[in-house]
Amino acid sequence: QVQLVESGGGLVQAGGSLRLSCAASGRTISSYFMGWFRQAPGKEREFVASIRWIGGNTYYADSVKGRFTISRDNAKNTVYLQMNSLKAEDTGVYYCAGRIVTAKDYGYWGQGTQVTVSS
């Protein structure tokens, strides 16, 4: 089992920045993809970014490319999402998720952290 705990959400003005953290525990996640998803009020959850733990390959939704950066710290077993140039439409609950590389779906989820961008 993998436990994921997010932190770093909050209220920020449009154009500002936030960094989200996701601490993983329970087992090593070296064979995992780690991802960030978000869900805005009244909308479905959507993919934001992911990173393959080994190799560090990253993937982004078009809506956040050039503004968000996903990274990981091997020693801390932690994934980060640096969010810059935030827009009101980035508002939502952000979830950290993990899946083994060979799995189709993300099987591990954090509890979510609220990000609110005021315009």
Side-chain angles (χ1 to χ4, degrees):
Q1 289 291 334
V2 175
Q3 291 80 43
L4 303 174
V5 178
E6 304 99 332
S7 61
L11 173 64
V12 64
Q13 287 188 335
S17 298
L18 280 176
R19 189 178 80 156
L20 306 183
S21 300
C22 172
S25 62
R27 66 168 55 178
T28 179
I29 56 174
S30 60
S31 59
Y32 280 64
F33 268 102
M34 298 300 296
W36 286 97
F37 292 75
R38 67 187 180 189
Q39 187 167 21
K43 294 187 177 181
E44 293 187 353
R45 187 166 57 193
E46 64 176 358
F47 168 80
V48 175
S50 65
I51 185 168
R52 183 166 180 165
W53 201 264
I54 294 179
N57 301 72
T58 58
Y59 308 87
Y60 296 93
D62 288 343
S63 59
V64 306
K65 281 181 181 177
R67 300 188 298 123
F68 291 10
T69 302
I70 189 171
S71 62
R72 83 255 194 258
D73 185 321
N74 291 340
K76 296 182 178 180
N77 233 27
T78 298
V79 178
Y80 302 98
L81 185 68
Q82 177 66 44
M83 305 185 293
N84 298 329
S85 302
L86 283 161
K87 305 175 182 179
E89 51 263 44
D90 293 319
T91 294
V93 179
Y94 283 68
Y95 297 91
C96 176
R99 66 174 177 88
I100 59 174
V101 170
T102 54
K104 177 182 177 182
D105 299 318
Y106 283 83
Y108 302 101
W109 293 86
Q111 82 288 353
T113 185
Q114 176 70 46
V115 171
T116 303
V117 183
S118 62
S119 57

